[in-house]
C-alpha cells in the first residue's frame, strides 16, 4: 500500500497483530497483520519518515522525520478523526480540523502531540516501562511526554548517530550507534 520505499517499521509489543510502517513518501500505515489490512493510512506531515516506535502501552506510536519533528499518534485520537470523517464528510482547512486529501483519498490526520528537535533525527525508540522515548540524530536525546524539550542529551559521536535503542530488560540502558 506504500507508494514509495519503506524506510522503517515497528511492532506493537502490547498487541502482536499490529505493526506500523513508514516510507519515503511521508506515508505511515498502521497494519492489522492478522487480516493483512491497513487500519490507518496516514499522511505523516514529514517529508519522509525516518523512524517509528510504539509506546510502552501500545496505544500510541511515534514518528520522526527529516523535518526535525516528533509526532505522537494516539490510536484513540485517530479513530475519533476517522469516525468524524466518515459521518460528516466535511472538508475543513482550519488547523483545528483534519481534512481529506483530494488527490489520494487519505485523511490528513492530526498528531495527538508534536515535539520539535533542535537537530536532525534518524531514529526513535520507546522505553518499555515508562513514558519516555529516545531519539538519535545529531545527538541522542531522552524525552518525556510532559516536556517539550529533551530531559537529557548525549553527544559522544562527532558525526552524529544512526540508531538508538532501549534495552528490553534494563530500562535505563540505551545503545546508540554512531555514524563514525
Amino acid at each position: 500500500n506504500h507508494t514509495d520505499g519503506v524506510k522503517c517499521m515497528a511492532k506493537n509489543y502490547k498487541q502482536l497483530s499490529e505493526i506500523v510502517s513508514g516510507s519515503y513518501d511521508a506515508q505511515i500505515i498502521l497494519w492489522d497483520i492478522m487480516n493483512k489490512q491497513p487500519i490507518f493510512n496516514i499522511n505523516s506531515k514529514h517529508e519522509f519518515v525516518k523512524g517509528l516506535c510504539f509506546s510502552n502501552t501500545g496505544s500510541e506510536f511515534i514518528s520522526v522525520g527529516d523535518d526535525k519533528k516528533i509526532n505522537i499518534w494516539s490510536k484513540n485520537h485517530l479513530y475519533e478523526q476517522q469516525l468524524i470523517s466518515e459521518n460528516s464528510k466535511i472538508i475543513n482547512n482550519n488547523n483545528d480540523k483534519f481534512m481529506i486529501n483530494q488527490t489520494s483519498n487519505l485523511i490528513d490526520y492530526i498528531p495527538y502531540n508534536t515535539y520539535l528537535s533542535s537537530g536532525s533525527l534518524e531514529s526513535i525508540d520507546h522505553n518499555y516501562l515508562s513514558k519516555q522515548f529516545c531519539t538519535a540524530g545529531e545527538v541522542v536525546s531522552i524525552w518525556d511526554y510532559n516536556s517539550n524539550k529533551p530531559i537529557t542529551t548525549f553527544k559522544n559521536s562527532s558525526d552524529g548517530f544512526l540508531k538508538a535503542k532501549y534495552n528490553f530488560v534494563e530500562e535505563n540502558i540505551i545503545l546508540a550507534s554512531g555514524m563514525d
Side-chain angles (χ1 to χ4, degrees):
N1 286 12
H2 285 286
T3 58
D4 204 344
V6 174
K7 165 73 171 146
C8 51
M9 295 174 65
K11 59 184 170 181
N12 188 343
Y13 292 101
K14 298 294 182 178
Q15 192 165 344
L16 298 177
S17 64
E18 286 183 351
I19 63 168
V20 65
S21 58
S23 63
Y24 290 104
D25 61 358
Q27 189 177 17
I28 297 174
I29 300 177
L30 178 63
W31 294 92
D32 176 351
I33 57 175
M34 295 297 288
N35 294 317
K36 300 177 185 172
Q37 300 261 341
I39 301 170
F40 293 107
N41 202 333
I42 301 167
N43 176 3
S44 71
K45 318 264 190 298
H46 302 299
E47 189 73 23
F48 63 86
V49 182
K50 287 191 168 185
L52 291 163
C53 69
F54 275 93
S55 68
N56 62 326
T57 62
S59 60
E60 300 101 11
F61 56 92
I62 308 173
S63 66
V64 296
D66 59 333
D67 57 358
K68 300 180 183 179
K69 287 185 181 173
I70 303 164
N71 290 334
I72 299 179
W73 304 92
S74 164
K75 290 191 296 185
N76 289 337
H77 192 64
L78 293 171
Y79 279 116
E80 289 171 8
Q81 292 180 62
Q82 184 182 52
L83 184 63
I84 292 169
S85 168
E86 289 172 355
N87 289 339
S88 66
K89 302 293 184 195
I90 294 174
I91 299 172
N92 189 339
N93 291 328
N94 295 334
N95 287 336
D96 61 334
K97 301 283 184 185
F98 56 94
M99 60 184 175
I100 298 172
N101 186 330
Q102 297 279 355
T103 58
S104 63
N105 292 324
L106 294 177
I107 297 174
D108 285 335
Y109 294 99
I110 295 173
Y112 183 70
N113 204 351
T114 300
Y115 302 101
L116 184 61
S117 173
S118 60
S120 66
L121 299 169
E122 295 293 328
S123 73
I124 187 164
D125 194 33
H126 204 284
N127 190 308
Y128 298 102
L129 298 174
S130 68
K131 295 288 254 179
Q132 292 181 349
F133 57 91
C134 66
T135 57
E138 289 180 22
V139 296
V140 173
S141 299
I142 299 174
W143 300 76
D144 186 282
Y145 281 55
N146 299 321
S147 176
N148 61 357
K149 296 193 183 290
I151 296 170
T152 189
T153 301
F154 303 98
K155 181 169 175 55
N156 294 345
S157 174
S158 60
D159 296 333
F161 296 90
L162 284 173
K163 189 97 170 162
K165 197 86 171 135
Y166 273 96
N167 185 302
F168 197 73
V169 178
E170 295 289 335
E171 70 174 297
N172 295 319
I173 296 176
I174 298 172
L175 177 66
S177 58
M179 290 187 191
D180 57 354

